[in-house]
């Protein structure tokens, strides 16, 4: 009896000491399945549940995760990975080479998989022995490791995925530091620490994600203590969080970019001079200062500063009204600028409008919600449109699909044979210095053709309570909570 | 009374059919392609075409409509495009949350509106009446989202009395459930309270000038008794109509309030479904809201009959 009582009180004590960290996100993650996920916010949650073949460190270096080492051979066509031993999925099954092959195959074949494009260069995946996996490529593809640091490289439990079928997205099972416990749509996603994690148990016991679509509401919840971390916060709240002794603001460069597409398939922007004229009016410093409150870097290309393909050879241009007027050649230019709702988009659109007007260019702003924006972009049913990209660790993910003829992100309808062959060449190169040189040549043409005007590279903004420790800023903007503690 | 109820119920059948047609047409008119939203910025044209095919978006519209209607007759609202869960299960999960919020908000608004309306009508022109008129005007003009954020700022951030957001079910933890619902219910209830106060004041003032009220006074019946027994009962009839309308409109109000206070209810389900073009969920939610408005107006009709004997003999 006494023993039971002691045990019971011990259990109660440990329950009371259970540490829960609550994180406010800007949207409810739609799909917690690495194959089906198409939203940035999904990655925040999935990164805790799933281990990946390889991961990124703070300096964007590719580091071991489930693969302890790897070798590239056969002229860049064969990647051989050594798989960590003794790793178990949350359902108790073992993670081995067969599970890695299963996950990669699943990403390439599952109906509705959004990973097919990223893995299109993979010919097949072979299990050599229980701890060795070989990926064979159709042609050399330098970005492969970068792609495997994200959803394409996440390893799912074959048993759980088979059993759950389409419902795996609501019951994800991986081998990561946190285990999926429950989700209530629009309310919370709860994860529990995986105490037998191969890399050591997490320091917190429970991780709860809650969605707050509105930036002010997200900020208010941080202030009131309802959540301890918010990502992202609005740029306008930066100084308020920084000056509050109870909170810390993480403000570090990300991988993405923002800017304006010009539809080259119809008037007025099938005229290159018009595209160049509009691009020349943009004052990037002013946009960063006024709209982003300093939480971004003016940009002229797709590679954010600090990333391997960033090159000082691509200079950020100053606004040049004389050049704009000269390119217009006295002809009138009126067009519609399409944008998605939201305070930042609306303010940027108005600022752009004012900048264009200085060169006598007349822009009307049309606001449609995001789904319509994507739809009209696909159909090339717009003059100009504001759309950015969250960014990928490998430079290919920031340029190839955007400017290659018929690329899935090529909203402009841009097509240039020279650019096509240069982008393909960069893909097949393995040394980063060689790739950067190729990109710079391609960018010179793209910048002159001006199907897109890069404006800035936004920072990742994370607000946290002072008692949250151990959170490292990784440039992909995904917060890893394994080593995070509440003091 | 029973025949009145039956007649009213039967008359809703064709209307509901028209509603299904309107809901379907409206959802189809929404710009944006659901397949595009599901696959996001990374979608390839092949993947898009495959997904459209498997979602049945390529079938002719009448086929899509009749297959949806056929499923409806079996109480099957389909599955969500976003996460493959059943639409009826989603609605059944969210509806009680919103209904609890709506009932709570209505109780708050009645608690304010009944005494305030009666007092204003009895003491027309007094400073209290003027104060209540000011309250009602501000209540009507103050937008939900503004009042909500104001309340969070005051009670959650400055005073730290009430958590800023979230929801716990009544069964799980009644105390916390009530605590979390207080601010959203006030946000929703204040507007309804303001409208109801104005209506009750107007209707009761008018009733109080009627001949039978003067007669009652002349017979020496006490003032309070005349007001409650004779005037108020008649004054409540127009009040009930407005109350019903407010209750129906409340569903719309919860959309914003649930966003601000992060309450996983019906309103947020609707907003999220629209943003993700989750067509089966949008259709289901709009249809259920339409049915809810029918139910409310049906109950209002029946309560007329209970309050006003003249209605029963029509």
């Amino acid at each position: 009896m006494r023993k039971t009582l002691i045990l019971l009180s011990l259990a109660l004590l440990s329950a009371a000491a259970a540490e829960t960290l609550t994180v406010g996100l800007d949207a409810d993650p739609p799909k917690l399945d690495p194959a089906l996920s198409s939203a940035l916010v999904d990655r925040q949650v999935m990164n805790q549940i799933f281990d990946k073949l390889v991961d990124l460190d703070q300096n964007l270096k590719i580091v071991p995760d489930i693969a302890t080492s790897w070798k590239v051979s056969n002229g860049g066509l064969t990647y051989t990975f050594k798989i960590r031993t003794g790793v178990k999925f949350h359902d108790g099954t073992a993670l081995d080479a067969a599970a890695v092959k299963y996950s990669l195959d699943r990403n390439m074949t599952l109906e509705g998989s959004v990973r097919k494009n990223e893995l299109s260069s993979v010919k097949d995946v072979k299990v050599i022995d229980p701890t060795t996996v070989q990926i064979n490529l159709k042609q050399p593809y330098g970005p492969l490791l970068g792609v495997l640091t994200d959803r394409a490289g996440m390893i799912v439990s074959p048993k759980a995925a088979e059993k759950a079928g389409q419902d795996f997205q609501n019951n994800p099972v991986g081998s990561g530091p946190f285990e999926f416990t429950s989700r209530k749509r629009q309310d919370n996603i709860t994860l529990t620490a995986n105490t037998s994690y191969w890399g050591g148990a997490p320091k917190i016991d429970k991780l709860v994600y809650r969605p707050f679509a509105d930036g002010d509401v997200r900020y208010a919840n941080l202030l009131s203590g309802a959540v301890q971390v918010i990502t992202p916060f609005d740029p306008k709240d930066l100084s308020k969080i920084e000056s509050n002794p109870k909170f810390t603001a993480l403000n570090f460069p990300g991988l993405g970019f923002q800017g304006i597409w010009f539809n080259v398939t119809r008037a007025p922007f099938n005229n290159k001079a018009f595209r160049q004229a509009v691009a020349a009016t943009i004052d990037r410093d002013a946009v960063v200062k006024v709209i982003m409150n300093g939480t971004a870097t003016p940009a002229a290309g797709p590679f954010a500063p600090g990333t391997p393909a960033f090159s000082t050879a691509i200079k950020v241009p100053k606004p040049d009204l004389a050049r704009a007027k000269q390119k217009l050649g006295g002809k009138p230019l009126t067009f519609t600028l399409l944008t998605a709702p939201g305070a930042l988009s609306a303010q940027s659109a108005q600022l752009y409008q004012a900048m264009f007007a200085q060169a006598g260019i007349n822009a009307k702003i049309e606001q449609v919600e995001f789904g319509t924006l994507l739809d009209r972009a696909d159909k090339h049913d717009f003059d100009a449109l504001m759309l950015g990209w969250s960014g990928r660790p490998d430079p290919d993910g920031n340029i190839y699909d955007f400017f290659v003829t018929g690329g899935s992100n090529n909203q402009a309808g841009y097509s240039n044979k020279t650019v096509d062959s240069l982008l393909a060449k960069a893909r097949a190169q393995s040394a980063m210095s060689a790739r950067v040189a190729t990109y710079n040549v391609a960018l010179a043409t793209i910048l002159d053709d001006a199907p897109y005007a890069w404006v800035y590279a936004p920072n990742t903004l994370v607000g946290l309570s002072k008692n949250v420790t151990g959170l490292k800023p990784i440039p992909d903007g995904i917060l890893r909570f394994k080593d995070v503690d509440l003091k | 009374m029973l025949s009145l109820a039956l007649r009213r119920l039967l008359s809703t059948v064709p209307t509901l059919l028209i509603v299904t047609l309107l809901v379907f047409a409206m959802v189809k008119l929404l710009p944006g392609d659901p397949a595009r939203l599901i696959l996001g910025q990374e979608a390839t044209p092949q993947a898009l075409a495959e997904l459209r095919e498997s979602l049945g978006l390529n079938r002719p519209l009448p086929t899509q409509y009749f297959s949806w209607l056929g499923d409806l007759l079996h109480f099957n609202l389909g599955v969500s495009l976003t996460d493959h869960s059943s639409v009826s299960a989603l609605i059944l999960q969210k509806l009680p949350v919103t209904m609890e919020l709506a009932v709570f908000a209505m109780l708050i608004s009645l608690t304010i509106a009944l005494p305030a309306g009666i007092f204003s009508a009895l003491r027309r022109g007094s400073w209290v009446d003027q104060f209540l008129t000011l309250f009602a005007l501000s209540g009507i003009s103050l937008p939900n989202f503004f009042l909500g954020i104001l309340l969070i700022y005051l009670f959650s951030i400055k005073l730290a009395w009430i958590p800023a957001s979230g929801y716990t079910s009544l069964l799980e933890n009644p105390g916390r459930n009530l605590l979390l619902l207080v601010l959203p219910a006030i946000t929703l209830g204040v507007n309804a309270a303001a409208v109801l106060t104005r209506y009750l004041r107007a209707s009761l003032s008018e009733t109080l000038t009627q001949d039978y009220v003067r007669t009652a006074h002349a017979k020496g019946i006490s003032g309070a008794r005349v007001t409650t027994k004779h005037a108020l009962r008649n004054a409540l009839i127009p009040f009930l109509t407005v109350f019903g309308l407010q209750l129906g409109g409340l569903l719309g109000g919860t959309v914003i309030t649930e966003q601000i206070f992060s309450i996983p209810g019906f309103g947020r389900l609707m907003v999220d479904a629209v943003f993700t073009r989750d067509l089966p969920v949008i259709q289901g939610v709009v249809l259920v809201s339409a049915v809810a408005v029918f139910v409310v107006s049906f109950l209002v009709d029946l309560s007329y009959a209970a309050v006003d004997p003249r209605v029963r003999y029509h």
Side-chain angles (χ1 to χ4, degrees), chain B residues 197-213:
Chain B
T197 306
R198 294 303 293 161
Y199 268 92
L200 188 57
R201 179 185 184 273
S203 131
L204 188 60
S205 315
E206 199 198 312
T207 320
L208 284 173
T209 61
Q210 302 280 319
D211 287 343
Y212 69 87
V213 174

Side-chain angles (χ1 to χ4, degrees), chain A residues 28 30-31 36-39 111-118 150-151 166-167 169-170 183-187 210-214 216-217 219-221 223-224 226 341 369-372 374-375 377-379 387-390 392 401-402 406 408-409 411, chain B residues 31-33 36-45 47-48 50-52 54 80-85 90 93-94 149 152 156-157 160 162-169 172 259-265 268-270 272-278 281:
Chain A
D28 194 19
K31 296 183 175 196
L36 302 178
S37 153
S38 62
E111 190 194 311
S113 168
V114 196
R115 306 279 82 79
K116 288 177 186 168
N117 201 17
E118 294 163 1
D150 187 21
R151 290 160 289 193
Q166 276 275 16
D167 214 30
Q169 55 188 309
N170 296 318
R183 93 170 284 176
K184 220 196 252 165
R185 206 160 138 167
Q186 287 131 6
D187 187 42
R210 293 185 55 202
F212 305 98
D214 186 275
D216 289 328
V217 174
Y219 175 61
N221 276 277
L223 289 189
S224 74
E369 49 75 49
F370 194 61
T372 312
L374 286 183
D375 197 30
D378 279 348
K379 294 178 178 138
L387 185 63
W389 179 238
S390 59
R392 293 291 177 266
D401 275 330
F402 297 81
S408 56
N409 272 320
Q411 321 291 4
Chain B
D33 173 6
R36 189 62 164 102
L37 270 168
I38 291 172
L39 295 181
Q41 261 179 285
E42 291 151 281
T44 58
L48 279 172
E50 275 171 36
L51 188 62
R52 275 193 209 109
S54 84
S80 153
L81 300 184
T82 338
D83 69 0
H84 230 258
S85 42
L90 274 176
Q93 192 184 46
K94 309 290 181 189
I149 295 218
I152 291 181
S156 308
I157 296 174
I162 302 176
S165 65
Y167 177 79
T168 307
S169 87
E172 208 177 295
Q259 288 288 348
I260 296 171
F261 292 95
S262 307
I263 295 169
R268 283 189 80 201
L269 182 66
M270 178 143 44
D272 268 24
V274 170
F275 274 121
T276 53
R277 287 293 178 278
D278 198 337
V281 176

Side-chain angles (χ1 to χ4, degrees), chain A residues 135-313:
Chain A
I135 300 181
N136 295 304
L137 302 183
K138 294 174 202 154
Q139 65 269 342
Y141 182 59
L144 184 71
L145 287 175
V147 164
L148 294 176
T149 64
D150 187 21
R151 290 160 289 193
M154 290 181 178
I155 314 298
V156 304
S157 154
K159 190 181 151 210
E162 283 299 314
K163 202 175 130 209
Q166 276 275 16
D167 214 30
F168 187 70
Q169 55 188 309
N170 296 318
N171 302 284
V173 179
S175 57
F178 291 88
E179 193 173 325
F180 175 81
T181 312
S182 67
R183 93 170 284 176
K184 220 196 252 165
R185 206 160 138 167
Q186 287 131 6
D187 187 42
N188 73 72
I189 295 175
T190 302
L191 311 181
T192 323
N194 172 6
T195 46
S196 48
Y197 186 58
W198 57 266
K203 299 195 171 77
I204 45 175
D205 304 297
K206 239 162 97 180
L207 186 57
V208 179
Y209 287 97
R210 293 185 55 202
F212 305 98
D214 186 275
D216 289 328
V217 174
R218 209 155 51 242
Y219 175 61
N221 276 277
L222 179 72
L223 289 189
S224 74
V227 302
Q228 290 82 48
V229 178
I230 53 171
T231 180
F233 60 78
D234 290 347
K236 68 173 168 57
D237 296 329
L238 176 69
S239 52
K240 284 185 268 173
I241 296 180
E242 275 179 339
S243 61
N244 191 324
K246 285 199 237 155
F247 304 103
T248 315
L250 294 183
N251 171 15
F252 56 96
L255 305 174
F257 56 77
Q258 290 292 330
I260 304 168
W261 281 108
F262 301 109
N263 184 358
V264 306
T265 66
R266 72 174 198 200
F269 290 122
N270 52 2
N271 180 341
K272 178 170 156 182
F274 280 170
R275 301 197 295 270
Q276 291 170 326
V278 174
T281 63
I282 299 170
D283 183 345
R284 292 160 172 84
D285 288 321
V287 178
V288 166
K289 218 176 285 164
V290 176
I291 307 290
M292 297 303 289
N293 198 12
T295 64
T297 316
F303 312 124
T307 62
F310 176 77
S311 163
T312 45

Side-chain angles (χ1 to χ4, degrees), chain A residues 75-155:
Chain A
L77 286 172
T78 304
Y79 283 69
T80 312
F81 295 90
K82 273 285 167 206
I83 306 301
R84 199 175 288 280
T85 51
V87 179
K88 286 222 176 329
F89 287 112
H90 304 144
D91 61 2
T93 55
L95 190 160
D96 53 11
V100 173
K101 174 179 162 58
Y102 177 87
S103 301
L104 288 165
D105 285 347
R106 183 174 182 271
N107 280 336
M108 291 187 287
T109 54
L110 191 74
E111 190 194 311
S113 168
V114 196
R115 306 279 82 79
K116 288 177 186 168
N117 201 17
E118 294 163 1
L119 297 171
S120 60
S121 61
V122 175
K123 189 169 88 190
D124 57 26
V125 183
K126 283 204 174 100
V127 174
I128 305 297
D129 62 52
T131 60
T132 317
V133 171
Q134 203 174 64
I135 300 181
N136 295 304
L137 302 183
K138 294 174 202 154
Q139 65 269 342
Y141 182 59
L144 184 71
L145 287 175
V147 164
L148 294 176
T149 64
D150 187 21
R151 290 160 289 193
M154 290 181 178
I155 314 298

